[in-house]
Amino acid sequence: MVSFAAFGDVQSGRTGLTIYQWDKLLRSKEAVVGPQIDIRLEKAVSVIQETKVDFVVILGDLTESALNQQFLRVKKIVALLQIPVIVIIGNHDLGPYERGANGKVIWKAKEQLSVEEIENYFADWKDSFNNFTRQESPFQNY
């Protein structure tokens, strides 16, 4: 039997939290910001290691705004798993931006990052599935 773990919406680098109307309906108190994001990711990686799954799927939004240091921070923590990882690109992973106090998106780049630019962060993961059909990319939604 094959087993796997999946998680998403890490959003490393998030410094603020906008509470939307639907968040209030869900009464979610789980959201964190700042260094707590990386601490939570480290705990998740630790739990995944203990459960001895065969591979991990990350369901997008590794970063808050696609900045270099955010990708590198996530990669450093997730690399501790030492098992195959499939990454799905999320909207937060595509372009450097931030949200203003009113929640409006402020773009800091003229265009989104390309899949190839994002792939460069995780190129060493693309051949991590030795017993599967060779992947052309570590990103499976493109």
Side-chain angles (χ1 to χ4, degrees), residues 90-104:
N91 63 311
H92 285 262
D93 302 323
L94 290 174
Y97 68 89
E98 64 183 37
R99 292 191 187 275
N102 61 357
K104 184 176 179 181

Side-chain angles (χ1 to χ4, degrees), residues 7-115:
F7 63 88
D9 274 336
V10 174
Q11 294 190 17
S12 180
R14 182 176 54 213
T15 57
L17 185 62
T18 303
I19 305 297
Y20 297 100
Q21 183 177 1
W22 53 85
D23 294 324
K24 292 175 185 173
L25 293 173
L26 296 173
R27 298 183 187 161
S28 175
K29 296 179 182 170
E30 293 296 314
V32 295
V33 297
Q36 289 299 315
I37 293 171
D38 296 335
I39 292 168
R40 180 175 281 181
L41 179 58
E42 289 168 354
K43 287 179 183 178
V45 164
S46 177
V47 168
I48 291 168
Q49 285 175 313
E50 291 171 11
T51 59
K52 300 187 186 324
V53 297
D54 298 308
F55 66 95
V56 174
V57 179
I58 303 177
L59 303 168
D61 290 349
L62 287 83
T63 69
E64 166 63 11
S65 57
L67 298 176
N68 182 55
Q69 66 270 22
Q70 295 170 357
F71 279 113
L72 293 176
R73 200 165 40 239
V74 170
K75 180 179 180 178
K76 180 180 178 183
I77 296 169
V78 174
L80 297 172
L81 286 170
Q82 299 179 345
I83 58 174
V85 176
I86 297 172
V87 180
I88 298 172
I89 300 171
N91 63 311
H92 285 262
D93 302 323
L94 290 174
Y97 68 89
E98 64 183 37
R99 292 191 187 275
N102 61 357
K104 184 176 179 181
V105 171
I106 303 167
W107 288 95
K108 292 186 167 190
K110 291 183 181 178
E111 57 187 49
Q112 294 179 338
L113 296 179
S114 70
V115 173

Side-chain angles (χ1 to χ4, degrees), residues 55-56 75 78-79 83-88 115-140 142:
F55 66 95
V56 174
K75 180 179 180 178
V78 174
I83 58 174
V85 176
I86 297 172
V87 180
I88 298 172
V115 173
E116 291 78 19
E117 289 173 297
I118 299 170
E119 272 185 345
N120 287 331
Y121 290 104
F122 306 101
D124 53 330
W125 293 359
K126 89 176 188 185
D127 293 321
S128 61
F129 281 94
N130 294 327
N131 297 321
F132 289 76
T133 303
R134 179 167 161 60
Q135 296 172 206
E136 293 302 317
S137 165
F139 300 102
Q140 298 305 296
Y142 285 87

